[in-house]
Amino acid sequence: MTIDTCTGFSMAQANQDFSQVAKAAEEKGVAIIFKDHQPKFYVADIEKSGFPFELSEEEKIEIVAKRILKRYLPAFKELAK
């Protein structure tokens, strides 16, 4: 993996000013946060770089189901009475 030095940040930098990390990811598509001089976290702008991994159909359904349940929980509780 080639890392652009403009998008690499130490853990201390990211902790002090995460908006700088987010801005770099937004401009370049990705930012890397280093811990102990090793790449530790990958921050990506999903709109630019896409989703970094594929989900199974079951995982997709679970995500959608959780969103629906969270959004309509009061209605579901009322219907359950």
Side-chain angles (χ1 to χ4, degrees):
M1 171 198 284
T2 304
I3 298 172
D4 183 346
T5 56
C6 296
T7 63
F9 299 88
S10 69
M11 185 68 84
Q13 287 174 300
N15 190 32
Q16 290 173 358
D17 191 5
F18 188 77
S19 63
Q20 184 180 11
V21 176
K23 183 178 178 182
E26 189 173 41
E27 290 174 358
K28 301 288 186 171
V30 64
I32 305 294
I33 301 172
F34 289 81
K35 182 175 182 182
D36 299 326
H37 307 287
Q38 297 292 322
K40 180 71 175 174
F41 298 102
Y42 179 90
V43 181
D45 182 336
I46 293 175
E47 291 176 350
K48 287 187 179 180
S49 63
F51 209 61
F53 51 88
E54 293 296 320
L55 298 174
S56 70
E57 290 301 314
E58 292 82 17
E59 290 169 322
K60 291 175 186 176
I61 291 169
E62 185 177 337
I63 290 168
V64 171
K66 285 181 181 180
R67 286 182 187 168
I68 291 170
L69 183 60
K70 184 177 179 181
R71 184 173 182 181
Y72 298 107
L73 186 59
F76 288 130
K77 285 182 177 180
E78 189 64 30
L79 288 171
K81 289 181 183 180

